[in-house]
Amino acid sequence: MVVESYSIPDHRILAFYEYWDSKISDNRPPLRSNIDPIEIPQFLTGSVLYEVLEGGDRFRFKLWGTLLTQIYGYDCTGKFADEVFEDSRSADIHRVLRGVAETQQPHYWEIDTPVENRTFMKYRRIALPLWTNADGVELLIGFHTALPRQISMG
């Protein structure tokens, strides 16, 4: 879903969104160069940087925060999303990321995700476009928060 700031229930994701929103200029998503990690250290562990490839047909993780490594049990930096998520989530994730790249609009979701050898984990995530050149969006930035509630499998 395209988000309005009032529809984001998680104060950490809302703060991340507001930071991104403060960097918008000329009615375009912020430039990647305007996102300064020094300004947002509190968000780095839950951050993901997606590289948009092949016109939005593939996405590579350029950055995979340490919180995500703790949740999933592996580091996805440098891997393609379609290689990491091979189940039914892959199509949903691809659809969402492609939509963010094409519409240049944010997307927020709250979802239960299976974590290998563990119970399901509920997490919240926002994906935001970054303008990288005259051709448009070539990067997306995301921020995840894991919720303490877990859902038992079976």
Side-chain angles (χ1 to χ4, degrees), residues 6 8 13 18 25 41 48 58 69 76 88-89 96 101 111 122 136 146:
Y6 61 80
I8 301 173
I13 290 180
E18 289 173 342
S25 66
V48 177
R58 292 194 89 189
T69 298
C76 291
S88 62
R89 293 178 300 153
V96 166
I111 193 167
K122 182 175 274 304

Side-chain angles (χ1 to χ4, degrees), residues 26-154:
D26 299 327
N27 292 320
R28 284 196 317 228
L31 293 168
R32 164 59 188 98
S33 60
N34 289 341
I35 305 297
D36 186 351
I38 292 173
E39 295 176 344
I40 54 171
Q42 70 274 26
F43 300 121
L44 296 181
T45 63
S47 292
V48 177
L49 198 59
Y50 308 92
E51 185 177 13
V52 180
L53 300 169
E54 301 172 24
D57 286 339
R58 292 194 89 189
F59 297 89
R60 183 185 356 235
F61 297 104
K62 286 185 67 104
L63 170 75
W64 180 263
T66 56
L67 171 66
L68 301 171
T69 298
Q70 290 171 355
I71 290 171
Y72 288 98
Y74 48 85
D75 182 1
C76 291
T77 302
K79 297 179 181 174
F80 289 95
D82 59 358
E83 295 171 342
V84 173
F85 303 107
E86 296 179 6
D87 58 14
S88 62
R89 293 178 300 153
S90 181
D92 290 339
I93 291 167
H94 182 268
R95 179 185 50 77
V96 166
L97 295 178
R98 186 174 189 148
V100 172
E102 288 177 352
T103 66
Q104 301 177 19
Q105 296 295 313
H107 183 275
Y108 169 82
W109 71 8
E110 184 172 312
I111 193 167
D112 293 322
T113 188
V115 179
E116 195 170 322
N117 299 321
R118 300 186 218 173
T119 60
F120 278 74
M121 171 70 70
K122 182 175 274 304
Y123 75 93
R124 293 174 172 156
R125 193 266 304 133
I126 193 162
L128 306 161
L130 296 175
W131 194 266
T132 53
N133 64 36
D135 294 330
V137 173
E138 292 180 354
L139 290 173
L140 308 177
I141 191 166
F143 179 68
H144 294 71
T145 61
L147 300 177
R149 181 176 72 85
Q150 292 188 343
I151 299 169
S152 177
M153 290 178 65

Side-chain angles (χ1 to χ4, degrees), residues 10-26:
D10 187 299
H11 68 90
R12 298 163 295 180
I13 290 180
L14 178 58
F16 187 79
Y17 171 79
E18 289 173 342
Y19 172 79
W20 172 86
D21 191 58
S22 74
K23 302 296 184 172
I24 291 174
S25 66
D26 299 327

